[in-house]
């Protein structure tokens, strides 16, 4: 799926050598391969999920864990991963992240139960939280000249944008002509190539100074988010008023409140709260969370709709999902040109309205909906809206941020999108399951009714997704006050 591209959580510190590394372009190729692997994993698994669910006997209530187990650990540990890369060594962290990601992919590809697949996805997220910030930090160290750095980040950003499209097609090919398991196992040869190339080509670097980590903060925030998502899952199974549902949601809220207390008292907080308290950045993070919540869940149900309702093959489903990515790439280019002229707020509000309109169009689906006349334009409009949203978000996250907070500010933006996606996927899956059950409760449960019940569930999920994206637009309208002049001269360098 599309994602924002941001600066490294570990930008080079004062005293870092500015002499260009002689093999920096070869190192860029290695880092690009690792980025492609991480980006592929977001979309390639979506296409495989219907077959994985059937093969492993995963329930409708639990299937969202294939997505959320990854995004929760990735988003929850991303800031800690950036700190580890800075102080433990960026190359060392990169290599460990690569090996761990490949091993977790092997476990997932060979999983015999849903629980083992969920655990493997969580491990992938944890190692991805090491790999992603280490990759970005290495780029900032390798490319010290402004023009070269811009080119390097353009390559990185192109992979971040285009890799999701590659994942959709590759996921379809592997699932249809090999097995869904290869959507995970394919990471092993990719990681092996990158690993053996990285050892001689990528230089080691690390930050100096105090190297303490906020491990309690990372553990508590991740546990809180997992508890919330599990509470949403229990709501799908037992109802919102069930004791277990209330207990897990309450525990999640309490743990997140404890995380705030830990950050306020920590001398080296995982997330300096001063970053959140700025009105514009706070608004950007809230909008990012809400857009992620609406978007991740929508992609999950679009995949199931294509393959289960319209009977598309996995490859056809992957190709049918490409219009969203195409829309994002087109509007992101336009938004980059318009941002200095009109500012962030108009683009983000327009983007939210467009994306929500595309999502609302998807609520009009049925068992025989035309792809060309309905699904194609709906996805293009959704993608156009997302592109107009993502580009300003990346800039807003860094407006007026002191240099020493730039990495944390941009990593927080990525984390909010992943966390929003986790919560949104779980929430929308709960609404889907509940609405299907309610639909069938008043009808004879024959095959025709069950097919229509699934359609009803998809439309409910898409409607809630549209609502979350509109809420992101409303948050932008009320909270974002930054002027276009501030974006051009913000206090931090934006690379994305």
């Amino acid at each position: 799926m599309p994602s924002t591209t941001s600066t490294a959580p570990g930008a080079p510190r004062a005293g870092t050598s500015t002499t260009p590394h002689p093999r920096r372009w070869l190192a860029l190729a290695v880092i690009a391969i690792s980025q492609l692997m991480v980006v592929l994993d977001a979309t390639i698994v979506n296409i495989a999920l219907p077959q994985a669910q059937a093969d492993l006997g995963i329930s409708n209530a639990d299937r969202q864990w294939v997505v959320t187990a990854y995004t929760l650990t990735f988003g929850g540990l991303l800031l800690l991963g950036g700190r580890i890369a800075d102080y433990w060594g960026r190359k060392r962290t990169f290599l460990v992240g690569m090996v761990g990601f490949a091993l977790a992919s092997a476990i997932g590809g060979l999983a015999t139960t849903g629980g083992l697949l969920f655990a493997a996805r969580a491990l992938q997220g944890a190692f991805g939280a090491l790999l992603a910030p280490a990759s970005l930090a290495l780029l900032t160290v390798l490319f010290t000249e402004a023009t070269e750095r811009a080119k390097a980040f353009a390559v990185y950003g192109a992979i971040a944008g285009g890799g999701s499209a590659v994942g959709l097609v590759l996921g379809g090919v592997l699932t249809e002509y090999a097995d869904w398991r290869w959507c995970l196992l394919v990471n092993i040869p990719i990681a092996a190539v990158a690993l053996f190339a990285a050892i001689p080509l990528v230089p080691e670097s690390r930050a100096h100074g105090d190297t303490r980590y906020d491990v309690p903060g990372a553990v508590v925030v991740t546990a809180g988010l997992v508890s919330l998502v599990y509470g949403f899952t229990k709501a799908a199974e037992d109802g919102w008023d069930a004791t277990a549902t209330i207990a897990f949601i309450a525990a999640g809220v309490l743990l997140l409140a404890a995380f705030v207390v830990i950050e306020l008292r920590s001398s080296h907080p995982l997330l300096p709260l001063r970053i959140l308290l700025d009105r514009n950045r706070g608004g950007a993070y809230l909008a990012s969370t809400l857009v992620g919540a609406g978007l991740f869940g929508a992609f999950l149900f679009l995949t199931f709709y294509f393959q289960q309702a319209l009977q598309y093959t996995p490859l056809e489903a992957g190709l049918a999902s490409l219009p969203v990515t195409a829309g994002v790439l087109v509007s992101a280019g336009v938004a980059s040109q318009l941002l200095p002229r009109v500012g962030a707020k108009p683009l983000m509000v327009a983007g939210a309205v467009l994306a929500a309109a595309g999502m609302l169009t998807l609520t009009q689906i049925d068992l025989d909906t035309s792809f060309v006349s309905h699904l194609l334009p709906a996805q293009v409009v959704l993608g156009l809206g997302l592109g107009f949203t993502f580009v300003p978000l990346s800039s807003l996250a860094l407006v007026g941020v002191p240099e020493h907070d730039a990495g944390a500010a941009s990593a927080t933006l990525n984390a909010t999108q992943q966390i929003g996606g986790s919560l949104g996927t779980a929430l929308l899956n709960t609404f889907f399951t509940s609405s299907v059950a309610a639909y069938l409760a008043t009808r004879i449960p024959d095959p025709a009714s069950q097919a229509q019940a699934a359609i009803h569930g998809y439309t409910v999920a898409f409607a809630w997704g549209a609502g979350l994206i509109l809420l992101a637009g409303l948050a932008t309208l009320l909270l974002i006050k930054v002027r276009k002049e501030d974006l051009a001269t913000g206090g931090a360098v934006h690379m994305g």
Side-chain angles (χ1 to χ4, degrees), residues 317-401:
L319 293 171
S321 303
L322 288 178
V324 177
T325 303
V328 169
L329 294 177
V330 169
S331 59
V334 175
S336 297
Q337 299 298 316
L338 290 178
L339 186 61
R341 302 176 190 174
V342 302
K345 188 171 182 174
L347 287 176
M348 288 179 64
V349 172
V353 171
L354 269 177
M359 194 83 79
L360 285 172
T361 306
L362 292 174
T363 64
Q364 304 305 307
I365 58 173
D366 210 330
L367 287 168
D368 57 355
T369 300
S370 166
F371 178 80
V372 173
S373 65
H374 191 105
L375 297 171
L376 174 62
Q379 290 186 85
V380 169
V381 171
L382 172 60
L384 290 172
L386 293 173
F388 282 124
T389 302
F390 288 143
V391 171
L393 271 177
S394 298
S395 293
L396 279 176
L398 294 174
V399 170
V401 178

Side-chain angles (χ1 to χ4, degrees), residues 69-70 73-74 77 81 97 101 120-131:
Y70 178 83
T73 51
F74 185 83
L77 299 174
F101 200 92
R121 291 286 286 163
L123 268 179
Q124 279 187 312
F127 284 109
L130 290 177
L131 188 58

Side-chain angles (χ1 to χ4, degrees), residues 220-260:
V220 169
V221 71
T222 305
L225 293 168
V226 169
S227 185
L228 270 184
V229 169
Y230 193 68
F232 295 155
T233 305
K234 296 301 289 182
E237 296 172 343
D238 305 330
W240 289 99
D241 57 350
T243 302
T245 302
I246 296 169
F248 278 106
I249 292 175
V253 172
L254 287 173
L255 284 167
L256 293 178
F259 170 69
V260 173

